Amino acid sequence: MNIKHILFFTIAIISSFQVAAWDNSFFKPYSNNGHHWPEVQDYLASNQPVKIIREVSQQIDARQNWQPSIDLNPGDRVRISANGHWNTNPDAYASHGPEGPRNAYTASSHYALPGAKEGSLIARIGNGRPFVVNRGTSFTANKSGTLLFVINDDIYQRNGAGLLDNRGAVEARIEVTRLRNGPRNHYR
């Protein structure tokens, strides 16, 4: 086998790879200053999990019902921390943090989260089941939807003023980490 044969076979192999790559939707070319390149280098450089972090701070008003925050996807790792002062019942309690007052009673069936402490910070994903946040919590999202927040109070005004007599706000800091495997494309 001489150098002509080796060169011919090398060109044939490279040409067949280009044809196979061009027909595969993963290797679609992108345009960069008029040049077209398969995304092979991008795939090889990013075959490890990619960590995407998004941080949001949001003020949660004690007088408003479910307040939207950030959109989540299944598998998102979420960490929430909260601080500030609010009050569900100015006649009975002094201002307190997102964990609720020390002497608060357990919320009844018409509260945002029955069985949890009155005045605590509550969250849910979309129309999902509410959960306690208090000063902080971490979880992995099990479904897609918007993360919502509310103070645990009589949101339906069945016993008194409900949210109307509340005061203050707390600030929630939400950190979302998303792991994504496989190729990523910086060019789209």
Side-chain angles (χ1 to χ4, degrees):
M1 198 176 221
N2 63 26
I3 191 77
K4 283 184 181 179
H5 288 109
I6 293 172
L7 186 58
F8 175 77
F9 285 118
T10 304
I11 291 172
I13 290 170
I14 291 172
S15 296
S16 65
F17 172 75
Q18 286 178 335
V19 169
W22 227 250
D23 291 336
N24 186 334
S25 63
F26 175 73
F27 291 103
K28 289 288 184 210
Y30 64 88
S31 179
N32 185 6
N33 297 329
H35 296 85
H36 296 281
W37 302 90
E39 296 173 2
V40 176
Q41 292 171 337
D42 194 28
Y43 173 76
L44 294 174
S46 64
N47 203 15
Q48 298 298 314
V50 178
K51 189 183 226 183
I52 301 170
I53 298 177
R54 182 168 180 208
E55 292 182 25
V56 175
S57 289
Q58 177 176 349
Q59 194 140 16
I60 313 301
D61 189 328
R63 289 179 281 170
Q64 295 199 15
N65 211 331
W66 291 104
Q67 299 160 61
S69 181
I70 189 170
D71 290 332
L72 301 175
N73 292 317
D76 284 353
R77 296 178 188 169
V78 182
R79 183 173 29 187
I80 303 169
S81 59
N83 59 51
H85 291 88
W86 57 11
N87 193 319
T88 55
N89 189 342
D91 295 333
Y93 306 123
S95 288
H96 53 80
E99 72 284 356
R102 275 185 247 158
N103 58 347
Y105 68 91
T106 302
S108 61
S109 62
H110 46 278
Y111 277 59
L113 183 56
K117 188 189 272 191
E118 178 188 24
S120 58
L121 178 60
I122 305 298
R124 73 179 186 202
I125 301 172
N127 290 325
R129 186 175 165 199
F131 56 92
V132 175
V133 174
N134 287 338
R135 288 203 174 271
T137 190
S138 296
F139 63 93
T140 300
N142 59 359
K143 65 183 216 168
S144 294
T146 302
L147 183 63
L148 302 156
F149 292 101
V150 71
I151 191 170
N152 200 23
D153 197 0
D154 179 6
I155 60 175
Y156 304 111
Q157 292 180 306
R158 293 195 181 143
N159 282 342
L163 298 171
L164 298 176
D165 64 344
N166 293 352
R167 301 286 180 262
V170 297
E171 185 170 332
R173 183 176 169 270
I174 306 107
E175 181 181 287
V176 178
T177 304
R178 182 172 299 157
L179 294 179
R180 185 178 76 184
N181 287 321
R184 69 176 186 251
N185 186 349
H186 300 285
Y187 308 105
R188 290 186 193 158

